[in-house]
Amino acid sequence: MKQYGTGTKCVQAGYTPENGGPRQIPIIQSTTFKYDTSEDMGKLFDLETSGYFYSRLQNPTCDHVAAKIAAMEGGCAGMLTSSGQAANFFAMFNICECGGHIVASSTIYGGTYNLIKVTMAKMGIESTFVSPDATDEELDAAFRPNTKLVFGESIANPALTVLDIERFAAAAHRHGVPLIVDNTFPTPVNLRPIEWGADIVTHSTTKYMDGHGSAVGGAIVDSGHFDWMAHKEKFPGLTTPDDSYHGIVYAEKFGQEGAFITKATSQLMRDFGCVQSPQSAFYLNLGLESLHVRMPRHVENGQAVAEFLEAHPLVTHVNYSGLPSSPYYERAKKYMPKGGCGVVSFELSGGRPMAEVFMKHLKLAAIETHVADARTCCLNPATSTHRQMNDEELIAAGVPAGMVRMSCGLEDKEDLIADLSQALDACAG
Ligand SMILES: *Cc1c(COP(=O)(O)O)cnc(C)c1O
């Protein structure tokens, strides 16, 4: 599949039917798998041969879909998780344990920020947050001897900042650690972080990959590029014997391309069990089959809506990296020449009261906390996700009271603009 384009991989990678086999990926709705002898099964438990024995660790349906996502990202191995949160936690905790330290971009998704700042701190993991626009000197200053990884989002949710992946990867590699990029918003159709130096890529597949608001899920892809053995002392989990598997050394037994995902599956899935169900993986795959057709439409609608809003007198500011006025315009053009995603955020001149009137009058755009779905939806953080904050706190958090986040779906852009236009008229009147 390597020689094919991302679109072809969206449709066909990850699963090749046998002669007379089902054309579509079969849903293997089975918790367990049968063997003829205990010796056969013992080899699986010793990680001597690969195969299935219990769906908490691995399931064929999920593996086909994970292999497709890995192929789309240009990685060597992948796994599905129960959610994007689980994917980011596993990707980090697989190489950063108690006593470790994480350098992360400050504009990441709120759930991931809490995960690093609060929950992983309780596990004895420290963190330093840096601006996605940090200089090389500022980046270098964030590292400590116990730093194990750098984390960022290619397009941040909801800040919509664009990560300078090449520069963040170079900083990580200068300090002997990998760069993990959450690539949920652009998807591999618009950006493949591994091609720019990222070592591990994560996804909330709940968003564009599923694309229809049907199933919560996550994915992790390993590039196979990071040489764990060259930084042996930093990553003992991969480079020293695992007592829970008869002293296996992952980086030796499974090599640079197999170590990361094998450890995450055989240790973290075994112990935490954040599995995606085969049924959800099946829905996810239906979404993937059309991802390359859907993403350009999300971008087209996002661009049209952003341009319309920027020209409107009641809109004071629009965040969208496809607008030449965006501070991320040049960077977005470099990393995402086909565009980024369909999520736009903007500020209304009348603050919170105007945002309420505006959203009440929208007919097509539903009020939801979700984004990246076929149906256009919107949210005013000040009256929903951030409602515990006062106006000053909202400004400090970068989500002023009059800010609206709009996720442009797959409808006709003329209809979306007409909907926005009549809701803005209601604000003026
Ligand atoms: C939604 C989201 C997550 C969390 O994913 P869930 O599937 O909701 O757990 C993580 N990162 C980004 C960028 C997201 O948009």
Side-chain angles (χ1 to χ4, degrees):
M1 269 283 146
K2 261 209 165 80
Q3 73 275 29
Y4 294 112
T6 308
T8 302
K9 291 175 184 168
C10 284
V11 183
Q12 297 224 8
Y15 171 68
T16 310
E18 295 164 8
N19 189 26
R23 185 68 189 95
Q24 181 54 288
I25 295 179
I27 304 173
I28 307 295
Q29 195 67 49
S30 181
T31 58
T32 192
F33 300 83
K34 178 235 169 220
Y35 288 92
D36 290 338
T37 67
S38 349
E39 200 190 335
D40 290 343
M41 184 173 284
K43 284 187 187 140
L44 295 173
F45 274 93
D46 285 347
L47 304 181
E48 279 303 323
T49 52
S50 65
Y52 298 95
F53 52 96
Y54 191 51
S55 285
R56 168 150 50 74
L57 282 94
Q58 276 185 291
N59 171 282
T61 310
C62 296
D63 279 359
H64 289 311
V65 181
K68 173 178 282 190
I69 295 173
M72 287 161 60
E73 286 287 7
C76 64
M79 68 193 285
L80 298 187
T81 57
S82 53
S83 67
Q85 285 300 109
N88 282 328
F89 174 60
F90 276 22
M92 292 188 279
F93 195 64
N94 204 34
I95 48 174
C96 185
E97 302 177 356
C98 182
H101 172 253
I102 292 169
V103 174
S105 163
S106 57
T107 53
I108 53 177
Y109 178 68
T112 313
Y113 180 82
N114 282 332
L115 169 65
I116 296 172
K117 178 84 185 168
V118 181
T119 301
M120 292 181 83
K122 290 178 191 167
M123 300 171 168
I125 295 166
E126 303 175 299
S127 52
T128 301
F129 290 90
V130 294
S131 160
D133 307 318
T135 62
D136 284 346
E137 291 69 34
E138 285 165 340
L139 278 175
D140 283 337
F143 287 85
R144 300 180 190 169
N146 60 337
T147 302
K148 306 292 182 180
L149 64 95
V150 178
F151 182 91
E153 289 175 8
S154 46
I155 298 181
N157 176 13
L160 304 179
T161 54
V162 176
L163 192 72
D164 196 346
I165 299 173
E166 255 183 336
R167 225 159 47 72
F168 269 63
H173 298 158
R174 267 201 302 285
H175 295 272
V177 301
L179 172 66
I180 302 179
V181 173
D182 180 333
N183 195 36
T184 297
F185 268 18
T187 82
V189 170
N190 285 338
L191 169 63
R192 288 175 299 281
I194 291 171
E195 293 175 2
W196 300 96
D199 301 284
I200 289 143
V201 175
T202 59
H203 282 279
S204 166
T205 61
T206 318
K207 312 290 167 53
Y208 288 116
M209 282 191 167
D210 172 291
H212 301 78
S214 323
V216 173
I220 308 173
V221 173
D222 180 17
S223 67
H225 294 166
F226 196 83
D227 186 352
W228 308 106
M229 288 311 263
H231 306 281
K232 206 167 183 299
E233 69 303 331
K234 261 194 193 293
F235 304 103
L238 285 161
T239 60
T240 60
D242 177 1
D243 290 338
S244 69
Y245 276 111
H246 315 299
I248 280 176
V249 177
Y250 290 97
E252 279 173 359
K253 186 159 176 73
F254 302 101
Q256 198 170 305
E257 301 211 326
F260 188 87
I261 293 293
T262 305
K263 176 179 180 288
T265 303
S266 53
Q267 276 182 356
L268 302 185
M269 252 339 163
R270 180 194 63 189
D271 299 348
F272 291 107
C274 307
V275 279
Q276 186 163 141
S277 77
Q279 189 79 40
S280 289
F282 180 83
Y283 293 137
L284 168 57
N285 184 57
L286 291 182
L288 293 173
E289 286 181 0
S290 64
L291 186 65
H292 59 305
V293 181
R294 292 184 288 109
M295 285 311 289
R297 180 65 169 244
H298 284 293
V299 168
E300 181 188 339
N301 286 354
Q303 184 73 30
V305 160
E307 286 171 9
F308 166 79
L309 289 167
E310 189 170 50
H312 199 281
L314 291 182
V315 177
T316 53
H317 182 70
V318 181
N319 288 317
Y320 190 72
S321 58
L323 291 176
S325 60
S326 164
Y328 297 103
Y329 181 72
E330 290 299 330
R331 196 180 287 170
K333 236 176 30 181
K334 168 181 167 177
Y335 288 106
M336 296 169 278
K338 292 184 290 183
C341 65
V343 184
V344 179
S345 71
F346 54 99
E347 200 182 341
L348 291 169
S349 60
R352 191 188 318 243
M354 190 181 278
E356 281 180 38
V357 174
F358 170 74
M359 289 178 50
K360 198 168 78 188
H361 283 86
L362 287 170
K363 295 187 171 76
L364 282 174
I367 300 173
E368 292 172 21
T369 51
H370 195 48
V371 288
D373 177 333
R375 291 149 295 232
T376 295
C377 57
C378 64
L379 182 81
N380 171 224
T383 49
S384 56
T385 50
H386 294 59
R387 75 180 284 131
Q388 73 285 359
M389 292 185 181
N390 63 33
D391 283 12
E392 288 73 49
E393 288 172 327
L394 285 169
I395 289 167
V399 280
M403 180 177 271
V404 175
R405 178 184 72 187
M406 176 159 271
S407 169
C408 299
L410 299 174
E411 302 91 342
D412 293 335
K413 63 186 172 198
E414 295 78 12
D415 291 333
L416 294 180
I417 288 170
D419 193 28
L420 290 170
S421 184
Q422 61 81 28
L424 286 164
D425 288 348
C427 295

